[in-house]
Amino acid sequence: MTTRGTPGRMVRIEDDVWADYGQLCEEEGTSRADDIRRHVHARVTAWRKANGLEPPKKRVVRVKRRKPADSD
């Protein structure tokens, strides 16, 4: 399952490690997905910095909002 239109990725992790990782994340108050995303982001940020690479510009998505109805 993905959120906000981001593509899903597949990784292979042994069942016993995945179960213990789930327990670890639960004890830390986070999800496996969030923990993995933060880890990958930190590694890529450090790699870009070490190699003098600029991070890509963030996409700005504008969402049109409906105007609230006039109240009587």
Side-chain angles (χ1 to χ4, degrees):
M1 179 169 50
T2 61
T3 58
R4 291 184 275 177
T6 57
R9 308 291 183 211
M10 184 182 297
V11 297
R12 297 182 189 278
I13 300 173
E14 293 81 10
D15 289 339
D16 59 327
V17 173
W18 189 248
D20 289 345
Y21 183 53
Q23 184 177 353
L24 178 151
C25 288
E26 186 176 321
E27 289 175 9
E28 291 182 346
T30 190
S31 68
R32 292 177 184 127
D34 187 51
D35 190 61
I36 291 168
R37 277 190 297 270
R38 285 185 286 123
H39 175 74
V40 170
H41 186 272
R43 296 277 319 264
V44 170
T45 300
W47 176 78
R48 285 177 178 155
K49 186 175 180 180
N51 289 286
L53 301 171
E54 291 289 324
K57 300 255 185 202
K58 291 190 177 188
R59 290 187 311 146
V60 176
V61 178
R62 295 185 184 259
V63 178
K64 289 189 175 188
R65 308 259 183 212
R66 292 186 195 179
K67 293 183 180 178
D70 293 331
S71 58
D72 293 329

